């Protein structure tokens, strides 16, 4: 056995410990140092307490013990000699990836430190910049350019569309960013083309024509960027590539992170839609078939043409964002939840309020005093119960005029609304089951919004309810999860358009399925939804769906037999309807070519 590592001199002095990396025979470094100091001196006692490396025996004042850096490096080098070149490359790549993650995380969260103020001018400038920084410190600047699908081998960047940018909060949804970007693009596009681009004619891409990762369009801005720039994909979607060449250094008040995205315009689809809308169409006899009820949708109020479905544009108007928290006031409400049950076998919905002998669960929430958003018939208010972010809906127009809705009419209309939602959810599950049985490839990421019915149990009605204090009635609310304000329309009350993408074709086939299994006595209408990321999957969540029924008793927007006829006349069957075994009706001429 070698004695090089043993701490011992020729006289037998030493600590007797073995240090495998000790450079030579004799005493260890600590014992050699102690041998030069007077026994019992302060310095001797201090050195005696110093920790030393268990590998080589070196010791010093601030060493924490264990293995020193030199010995650790030797150990790593020895291990590296035993692994292959491929393994070494993997280790190096992993180290680089971790460094990239740290850099990205730093850019997403760190902010520039304030500079010292040395004079009055600097103080005034800081005051001016602080207002910007306070508003934008948690925002991300997203810039846009456009690329046009030309049909050539290489698509080109459209410089005529220009470039622009806008700061977005990290909690804003990417779907809202897309809506805003298309609206901005249309300001110039409409002047050149005479018609607006639709959102489904534009695809969002990362700068450099890079296709986005799946299931990221339903995320908020922060999670969207994180999904692309962290992990193994971060090398491809690099934040550093989003900076333009020769870009000046960041100024005070500018968001610390800038992301460059592109709008990929499908010009061929736009031109096809434009030519189709310009073509002569047959006059419809729909007008005479419908006797409009007061307060319901007019068949003329969308796109100015009866039966013209392909050019349908959403009538949804995005509510301006509230910038000042001081403007938002809320009221505390006590709520009682209704019992809503949908029979798993038949889809029949049963609704009841807790009785006197029932155990009533009381929910305490906070509801906004002002309107969060509004449609043609309902107002929507923000509602928070514990940590759940929700919205509460009530009717302000049931056909008798605006703000002429009684508490009883609101309750009756909301009961009809939640019944339609629960029924549609049941029908959607049956539709998916049929597709699975027939081995038909449909767009699976479809769902119907969760919904609950609540009644206020306050002594005084909330301000949002619109009820006066002396009204002997309680406010009832339809409550749903809060989600993005971006809405995609797939049909309206009396217009049922043809869709060319898989998602739209699936929803159209679903409407046909509902019509068929209800013996042509029920038709879905006003189908709309928002893109929501549910457990990592981008899902279209449907809500506010209307029915047309033979009895005309399903609630607001039900046009009875005349409404059913609009679906029967306008629906265009596709390959999916045929594959599902549905009886073909109004087969699309485009599918026959």
């Amino acid at each position: 056995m070698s004695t090089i590592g043993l701490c011992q001199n020729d006289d037998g002095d030493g600590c007797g410990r073995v240090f495998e990396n000790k450079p030579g025979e004799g005493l260890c470094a600590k014992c050699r140092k102690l041998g030069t100091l007077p026994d019992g001196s302060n310095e001797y006692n201090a050195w005696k307490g110093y920790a030393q490396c268990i590998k080589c025996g070196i010791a010093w004042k601030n060493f924490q013990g264990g293995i020193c850096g030199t010995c650790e490096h030797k150990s790593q080098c020895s291990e590296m000699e035993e692994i292959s070149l491929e393994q070494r490359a993997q280790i190096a790549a992993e180290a680089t990836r971790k460094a990239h993650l740290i850099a990205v995380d730093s850019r997403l969260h760190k902010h520039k430190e304030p500079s010292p103020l040395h004079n009055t001018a600097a103080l005034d400038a800081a005051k001016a910049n602080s207002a910007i920084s306070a508003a934008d410190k948690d925002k991300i600047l997203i810039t846009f350019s456009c690329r046009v699908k030309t049909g050539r081998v290489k698509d080109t960047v459209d410089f005529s569309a220009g470039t622009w940018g806008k700061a977005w909060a990290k909690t804003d949804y990417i779907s809202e960013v897309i809506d805003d970007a298309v609206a901005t693009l249309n300001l110039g596009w409409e002047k050149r083309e005479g018609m607006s681009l639709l959102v489904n004619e534009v695809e969002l891409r990362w700068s450099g024509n890079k296709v986005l990762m799946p299931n990221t369009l339903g995320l908020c801005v922060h999670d969207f960027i994180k999904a692309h720039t962290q992990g193994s994909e971060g090398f491809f979607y690099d934040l550093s590539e989003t900076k333009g060449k020769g870009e000046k250094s960041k100024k005070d008040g500018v968001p610390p992170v800038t992301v460059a995205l592109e709008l990929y315009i499908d010009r061929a689809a736009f031109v096809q839609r434009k030519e189709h809308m310009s073509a002569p169409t047959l006059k419809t006899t729909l007008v005479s078939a419908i006797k409009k009820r007061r307060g319901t949708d007019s068949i003329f109020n969308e796109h100015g043409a009866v039966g013209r479905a392909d050019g349908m544009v959403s009538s949804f108007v995005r509510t301006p964002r509230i910038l000042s928290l001081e403007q938002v006031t809320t009221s505390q409400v006590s709520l009682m939840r209704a019992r809503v049950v949908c029979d798993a076998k038949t889809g029949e919905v049963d609704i009841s309020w807790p009785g006197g002998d029932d155990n009533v669960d009381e929910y305490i929430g906070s509801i906004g005093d002002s309107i969060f958003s509004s449609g043609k018939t309902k107002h929507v208010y923000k509602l928070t119960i514990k940590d759940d972010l929700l919205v509460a809906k009530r009717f302000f127009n049931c056909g008798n005029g605006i703000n002429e809705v009684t508490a009883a009419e609101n309750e009756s209309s909301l009961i009809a609304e939640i019944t339609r939602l629960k029924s549609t959810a049941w029908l959607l599950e049956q539709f998916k089951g049929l597709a699975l049985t027939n081995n038909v490839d449909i767009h699976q990421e479809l769902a119907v919004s969760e919904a609950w019915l609540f009644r206020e149990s306050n002594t005084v009605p909330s301000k949002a309810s619109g009820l006066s204090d002396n009204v002997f009635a309680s406010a009832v609310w339809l409550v749903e999860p809060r989600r993005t304000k971006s809405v995609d329309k797939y049909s309206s009350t009396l217009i049922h358009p043809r869709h060319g993408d898989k998602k739209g074709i699936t929803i159209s086939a679903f409407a046909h399925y509902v019509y068929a299994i209800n013996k042509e006595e029920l038709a879905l209408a006003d189908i709309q939804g928002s893109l929501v990321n549910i457990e990592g999957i981008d899902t279209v969540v449907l809500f506010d769906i209307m029915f047309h029924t033979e009895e005309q008793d399903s609630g607001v927007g039900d046009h009875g037999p005349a409404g059913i006829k609009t679906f029967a006349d306008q629906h265009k069957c596709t390959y999916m309807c045929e594959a599902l075994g549905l009886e073909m009706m109004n087969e699309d001429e485009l599918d026959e070519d």
Side-chain angles (χ1 to χ4, degrees):
M1 178 179 176
S2 174
T3 59
I4 293 179
L6 179 64
C7 176
Q8 190 177 49
N9 60 14
D10 295 338
D11 297 330
D13 296 330
C15 62
R17 297 174 62 187
V18 176
F19 302 95
E20 59 183 80
N21 290 343
K22 190 161 68 70
E25 295 183 354
L27 299 176
C28 67
K30 182 176 179 180
C31 289
R32 285 202 309 271
K33 180 65 176 179
L34 290 173
T36 64
L37 301 173
D39 190 10
S41 65
N42 291 337
E43 190 176 4
Y44 178 90
N45 293 332
W47 264 94
K48 195 172 182 180
Y50 292 164
Q52 63 184 136
C53 174
I54 61 175
K55 291 283 189 180
C56 66
I58 192 172
W60 66 89
K61 180 178 180 180
N62 295 319
F63 183 54
Q64 300 299 315
I67 302 174
C68 69
T70 302
C71 291
E72 186 174 7
H73 178 69
K74 288 181 179 180
S75 177
Q76 291 176 348
C77 290
S78 176
E79 292 175 359
M80 288 294 290
E81 290 175 357
E82 298 176 2
I83 64 177
S84 65
L85 289 175
E86 182 179 356
Q87 289 174 313
R88 294 186 193 185
Q90 290 177 349
I91 293 172
E94 180 65 18
T96 305
R97 186 186 70 83
K98 289 181 179 179
H100 175 78
L101 291 181
I102 294 172
V104 170
D105 187 68
S106 175
R107 295 184 67 182
L108 284 173
H109 295 93
K110 287 184 67 176
H111 304 289
K112 185 177 179 180
E113 293 294 329
S115 57
L117 306 177
H118 299 294
N119 50 48
T120 304
L123 180 60
D124 292 339
K127 288 180 179 178
N129 286 330
S130 63
I132 302 175
S133 300
D136 290 342
K137 66 179 182 179
D138 288 328
K139 291 190 175 183
I140 294 173
L141 179 64
I142 300 180
T143 64
F144 281 96
S145 59
C146 295
R147 189 179 296 270
V148 180
K149 181 180 179 181
T150 60
R152 301 172 185 170
V153 176
K154 186 175 182 180
D155 299 322
T156 59
V157 176
D158 184 7
F159 294 103
S160 65
T163 60
W164 67 95
K166 182 176 179 178
W168 291 87
K170 295 178 182 179
T171 54
D172 288 331
Y173 287 95
I174 284 295
S175 55
E176 295 175 327
V177 175
I178 297 173
D179 283 354
D180 184 83
V182 173
T184 303
L185 172 62
N186 273 328
L187 295 176
W189 184 274
E190 292 168 355
K191 294 179 181 179
R192 297 190 300 272
E193 303 290 343
M195 195 169 81
S196 300
L197 275 166
L198 301 183
V199 173
N200 60 9
E201 293 166 344
V202 175
E203 179 184 343
L204 185 66
R205 294 190 177 183
W206 201 268
S207 178
N209 200 26
K210 298 176 182 178
V211 178
L212 301 180
M213 292 178 59
N215 299 311
T216 55
L217 292 178
L219 298 174
C220 64
V221 171
H222 178 269
D223 291 343
F224 172 83
I225 296 174
K226 187 176 179 180
H228 286 88
T229 57
Q230 295 192 9
S232 56
E233 295 81 6
F235 291 101
F236 186 68
Y237 303 98
D238 194 349
L239 273 178
S240 63
E241 295 181 2
T242 66
K243 295 286 186 181
K245 293 182 178 180
E247 185 176 356
K248 296 181 179 180
S249 60
K250 181 175 60 181
K251 297 180 180 180
D252 291 337
V254 176
V257 178
T258 300
V259 178
L261 302 177
E262 291 181 353
L263 294 180
Y264 185 72
I265 303 170
D266 189 348
R267 186 173 182 82
F270 170 79
V271 171
Q272 183 182 29
R273 177 171 62 90
K274 187 176 181 180
E275 292 175 348
H276 181 77
M277 292 190 69
S278 301
T281 57
L282 296 176
K283 291 184 178 180
T284 177
T285 58
L286 178 62
V287 179
S288 59
I290 298 177
K291 183 178 180 180
K292 292 294 296 175
R293 292 186 299 161
R294 183 183 176 190
T296 56
D297 295 343
S298 167
I299 59 175
F300 295 99
N301 66 357
E302 296 190 50
H303 328 303
V306 178
R308 184 75 62 81
D310 289 3
M312 187 176 70
V313 181
S314 170
S315 61
F316 177 77
V317 178
R318 188 171 183 272
T319 304
R321 183 173 302 281
I322 297 175
L323 299 178
S324 173
L325 292 178
E326 286 72 23
Q327 299 176 14
V328 181
T329 58
T330 61
S331 300
Q332 182 172 301
V333 287
S334 299
L335 300 167
M336 174 179 62
R337 191 171 77 178
R339 175 181 172 273
V340 181
V341 178
C342 181
D343 190 284
K345 293 182 178 180
T346 65
E348 183 179 4
V349 179
D350 180 74
I351 302 173
S352 61
W353 294 103
D357 297 332
D358 297 330
N359 293 325
V360 180
D361 292 330
E362 186 179 51
Y363 298 82
I364 305 299
S366 176
I367 191 168
D369 293 333
S370 57
I371 297 171
F372 174 56
S373 64
S374 188
K376 296 178 181 178
T377 58
K378 293 188 292 292
H379 288 321
V380 183
Y381 298 81
K382 286 185 177 181
L383 173 67
T384 303
I385 298 178
K386 294 184 178 179
D387 295 328
D388 294 323
L389 301 180
L390 309 164
V391 291
K393 301 180 179 182
R394 69 170 176 86
F395 278 88
F396 68 88
N397 185 1
C398 291
N400 298 322
I402 296 177
N403 295 327
E404 297 295 332
V405 179
T406 65
E409 288 172 334
N410 175 62
E411 179 176 350
S412 174
S413 297
L414 290 179
I415 289 175
E417 177 103 0
I418 197 170
T419 300
R420 293 195 299 271
L421 284 172
K422 297 299 181 182
S423 298
T424 304
W426 185 87
L427 289 165
L428 182 59
E429 289 305 310
Q430 303 302 308
F431 171 75
K432 289 183 176 181
L434 176 64
L436 181 63
T437 301
N438 290 7
N439 196 27
V440 179
D441 181 25
I442 65 171
H443 185 83
Q444 290 286 347
E445 290 72 36
L446 293 176
V448 177
S449 177
E450 293 182 282
W452 307 272
L453 211 57
F454 282 93
R455 183 191 298 278
E456 289 187 15
S457 54
N458 303 9
T459 305
V460 178
S462 67
K463 181 178 179 180
S465 70
L467 299 177
S468 59
D469 297 351
N470 57 1
V471 173
F472 187 72
S474 56
V476 175
W477 297 95
L478 178 70
V479 175
E480 298 177 15
R482 197 181 305 175
R483 51 185 169 261
T484 174
K485 290 183 179 180
S486 176
V487 177
D488 292 324
K489 295 275 285 185
Y490 299 96
S491 68
S492 61
T493 307
L494 296 168
I495 298 178
H496 306 273
R498 173 193 179 275
H499 297 280
D501 63 309
K502 184 179 178 182
K503 178 169 56 181
I505 290 173
T506 300
I507 291 175
S508 181
F510 171 54
H512 186 176
Y513 167 79
V514 172
Y515 173 75
I517 67 166
N518 284 280
K519 301 178 181 179
E520 303 180 0
E521 295 181 352
L522 186 151
L524 297 181
D526 204 26
I527 305 175
Q528 57 191 304
S530 293
L531 193 64
V532 179
N533 193 275
I534 301 176
E535 297 181 354
I537 303 296
D538 283 349
T539 304
V540 177
V541 177
L542 305 177
F543 61 94
D544 286 359
I545 296 174
M546 291 182 178
F547 287 176
H548 297 309
T549 61
E550 192 70 28
E551 296 81 7
Q552 201 169 347
D553 61 355
S554 69
V556 174
D558 189 340
H559 288 270
I564 297 174
K565 187 177 185 302
T566 63
F567 176 80
D569 290 344
Q570 297 176 17
H571 172 75
K572 299 290 186 182
C573 278
T574 64
Y575 71 92
M576 196 174 289
C577 296
E578 184 176 12
L580 289 166
L582 301 174
E583 183 179 350
M584 301 299 282
M585 48 189 287
N586 307 323
E587 295 184 53
D588 199 327
E589 295 178 358
L590 294 177
D591 289 344
E592 296 175 356
D593 294 340

